[in-house]
Amino acid sequence: MISREFPSVVKQVSYGKALFAKQDLSVGTVVERFVGKQVQYEDLTKHDKTYVLCTESEPGNNDWIWLLAESDAKYANHSCDPNCRLTPSREIVTIKPVKENEELTFYYLNGTESDFWDPAWNFECYCGSKHCLKKIDRYVPLRNS
């Protein structure tokens, strides 16, 4: 695998690990990319389910796979008012200006009610957004903040 330097760093925080900006970032900056191995969901451990990403095998083909994240992208946490988004090519890209040492987040809940949701993914959100959903237990369309 070709190594690529991203303008982000993993830091230990009170709630685990998180991805932070190494410098001020403009809109459209790629801050990390999900890379890893393709897996069968039923073969995952409880711990691995924390970091698995459901994604298209190739952008635009609607062939869904489970990717067990091995890159630092797995430490980008959820926010109901994110500063990044996940692209079809599995890159985490800023959607607003980000300051140095600001946590990099994206919205985890892109999907439809008919999409698979494992109760193991449920968690309480403490992002602090005025639109915070509080309890994360299903896919919910993102509201504009």
Side-chain angles (χ1 to χ4, degrees), residues 13 15 43 73 81 109 126-127:
V13 292
Y15 43 89
D43 294 336
D81 184 19
L109 308 177
Y126 300 102
C127 71

Side-chain angles (χ1 to χ4, degrees), residues 100-116:
E100 181 178 359
N101 294 318
E102 183 177 341
E103 185 174 359
L104 299 163
T105 60
F106 70 98
Y107 190 72
Y108 284 5
L109 308 177
N110 290 320
T112 66
E113 290 182 23
S114 64
D115 289 339
F116 172 76

Side-chain angles (χ1 to χ4, degrees), residues 31-88:
V31 297
E32 244 310 338
R33 184 172 192 277
F34 278 93
V35 295
K37 61 184 174 182
Q38 186 175 333
V39 295
Q40 297 297 314
Y41 193 78
E42 58 271 9
D43 294 336
L44 294 170
T45 66
K46 184 177 179 179
H47 174 76
D48 287 345
K49 288 180 182 178
T50 304
Y51 298 112
V52 72
L53 177 71
C54 182
T55 184
E56 294 174 308
S57 59
E58 295 293 329
N61 75 357
N62 291 323
D63 180 21
W64 299 98
I65 62 164
W66 296 100
L67 184 78
L68 186 55
E70 297 171 343
S71 63
D72 286 345
K74 69 183 179 182
Y75 299 115
N77 289 314
H78 165 83
S79 175
C80 298
D81 184 19
N83 54 19
C84 296
R85 68 180 177 88
L86 184 62
T87 69

